[in-house]
């Protein structure tokens, strides 16, 4: 007899996340895979949904791909073991360890339909837009969303593939060349992983702009030179340190004033890559782009980078021991997970283990 109900963290409304018993999902399509979740990270966007959502969570109208709306199961940064596969699945088999690429985008027969599948207007995420999530014992998704985890990467490392993919995609989409300089504004999990991706890409100087002491320490430990905007004029300092401005600035805070700092920290012809999701408008003087021929571009999520992220992990990048500050059971997710992240800036990445 297989289990019929399981524990899951379900979002009902902002500040109303409930750990409750729900039915175990079953495979309904021959290209689907059922995964027993081992590890699932709590993400900054999960925190926004918890504190002030809905942002991505569909409310009052189902998501066109998942067909579901709130209440929905959360958790999109996860890894686990394949426990069942549909009859047409070829990418993985029962017993495989996998990292999940949670992007909901038009798909058919176990494959995304668009080359740039993260740019669909229907974009959603497994664990934010319905269809199940990683904050549960089991979840089911199409085989295009699972990637076999190399044997030498732990499940904890597997839960970090998703945020590392955001960082690696941001650096790969930038104009950075080996030997260039870069500044990363914000040293939360994505900012720290952007520092790592920049190292992998061969950046010669990496500056991190951050105020929280624990995050400053982590950025420094990863090899970045830290500038604290509460202690000095960030733009002047970065201009001085880099000899006239950095080649590329990454904005990872979502704070309007910081967008301007990022812009001004680059030299003429430099580039600003906007990684944050914004709560509202942010203004800047277009002449700051025009007169210096700077470029500003945005990136959303990732595409086609999971294999590269895992290969870099095998070479020692994006290490779990540098990011994970706490491991908790699913039952404790509200107090020890979401509330802890809101109240304790020393926390970086908290990993939930739904089957322990
Ligand atoms: Zn995330």
């Amino acid at each position: 007899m297989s289990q019929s109900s399981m524990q899951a963290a379900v979002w009902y409304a902002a500040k109303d996340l409930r750990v409750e018993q729900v039915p175990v999902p079953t495979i309904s399509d021959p290209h689907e895979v059922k995964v027993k979740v081992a590890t699932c990270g709590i993400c900054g966007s999960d925190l926004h949904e918890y504190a002030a959502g809905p942002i991505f969570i569909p409310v009052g109208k189902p998501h066109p791909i998942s067909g579901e709306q709130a209440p929905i199961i959360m958790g999109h940064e996860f890894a686990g073991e394949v426990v069942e596969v549909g009859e047409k699945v070829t990418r993985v088999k029962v017993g495989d360890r996998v990292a999940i690429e949670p992007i909901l985008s038009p798909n058919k027969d176990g494959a995304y339909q668009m080359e740039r599948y993260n740019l669909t207007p229907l974009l959603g995420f497994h664990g934010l837009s319905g269809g199940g999530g990683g904050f549960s014992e089991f979840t089911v998704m199409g085989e295009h969303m699972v990637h076999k985890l190399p044997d030498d990467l732990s499940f904890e490392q597997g839960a970090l593939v998703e945020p590392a993919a955001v960082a690696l995609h941001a650096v790969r989409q930038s104009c950075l060349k080996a030997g260039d300089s870069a500044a990363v504004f914000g040293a939360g999990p994505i900012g720290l992983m952007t520092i790592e991706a920049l190292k992998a890409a061969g950046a010669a100087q990496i500056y991190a702009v951050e105020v929280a002491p624990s995050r400053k320490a982590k950025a420094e430990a990863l090899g970045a030179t830290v500038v604290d905007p509460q202690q000095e004029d960030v733009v002047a300092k970065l201009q001085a340190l880099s000899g006239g401005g950095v080649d590329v600035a990454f904005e990872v805070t979502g704070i309007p004033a910081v967008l301007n700092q990022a812009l001004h920290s680059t030299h003429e012809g430099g580039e600003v890559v906007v990684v944050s999701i914004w709560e509202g408008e942010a203004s800047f003087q277009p002449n700051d782009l025009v007169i210096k021929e700077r470029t500003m571009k945005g990136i959303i999520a990732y595409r086609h980078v999971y294999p590269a992220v895992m290969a870099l992990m095998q070479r020692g990048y994006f290490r779990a021991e540098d990011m994970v500050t706490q491991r908790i059971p699913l039952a404790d997710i509200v107090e020890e997970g979401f509330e802890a992240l809101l109240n304790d800036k020393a926390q970086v990445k908290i990993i939930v283990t739904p089957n322990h």
Side-chain angles (χ1 to χ4, degrees), residues 10 41 60 73 101 158 296:
V10 182
I73 299 172
E101 177 167 2
M296 188 182 287

Side-chain angles (χ1 to χ4, degrees), residues 70-266:
I72 57 111
I73 299 172
M74 292 190 78
H76 61 273
E77 301 180 354
F78 64 105
E81 185 191 331
V82 174
V83 292
E84 195 184 332
V85 295
E87 58 197 17
K88 288 189 176 159
V89 168
T90 57
R91 282 171 65 93
V92 291
K93 59 183 190 312
V94 171
D96 281 351
R97 299 161 67 253
V98 290
I100 282 69
E101 177 167 2
I103 290 188
L104 300 186
S105 179
N107 61 90
K108 192 168 182 285
D109 298 336
Y112 288 118
Q113 288 184 288
M114 294 167 65
E115 159 64 19
R116 295 191 293 177
Y117 53 88
N118 60 323
L119 302 186
T120 170
L122 305 180
L123 182 68
F125 296 88
H126 188 88
L128 279 176
S129 316
F135 296 143
S136 66
E137 292 173 61
F138 298 93
T139 188
V140 168
M141 77 285 299
E143 65 172 317
H144 56 286
M145 294 165 68
V146 300
H147 296 264
K148 220 177 154 221
L149 197 58
D151 290 340
D152 53 345
L153 296 182
S154 67
F155 277 132
E156 198 158 276
Q157 201 66 60
L160 295 180
V161 177
E162 199 274 347
V166 176
L168 188 63
H169 180 61
V171 172
R172 285 168 65 127
Q173 292 296 312
S174 78
C175 66
L176 185 107
K177 301 275 189 298
D180 281 356
S181 59
V184 179
F185 288 77
I190 300 290
L192 291 170
M193 287 178 158
T194 301
I195 292 169
E196 290 254 75
L198 284 165
K199 275 159 63 177
Q205 286 95 34
I206 304 170
Y207 306 100
V209 179
E210 176 59 56
V211 293
S214 61
R215 293 177 171 201
K216 283 162 68 175
K218 285 218 180 291
E220 212 154 67
L222 291 175
T225 301
V226 175
V227 179
D228 183 339
Q230 289 183 335
Q231 287 167 11
E232 44 205 344
D233 178 337
V234 184
V235 172
K237 181 76 179 183
L238 288 172
Q239 289 278 350
L241 285 171
S242 61
V246 297
D247 294 299
V248 188
F250 293 84
E251 198 296 314
V252 203
T253 67
I255 299 169
V258 175
L259 184 66
N260 272 284
Q261 292 172 353
L263 185 58
H264 286 103
S265 73
T266 62

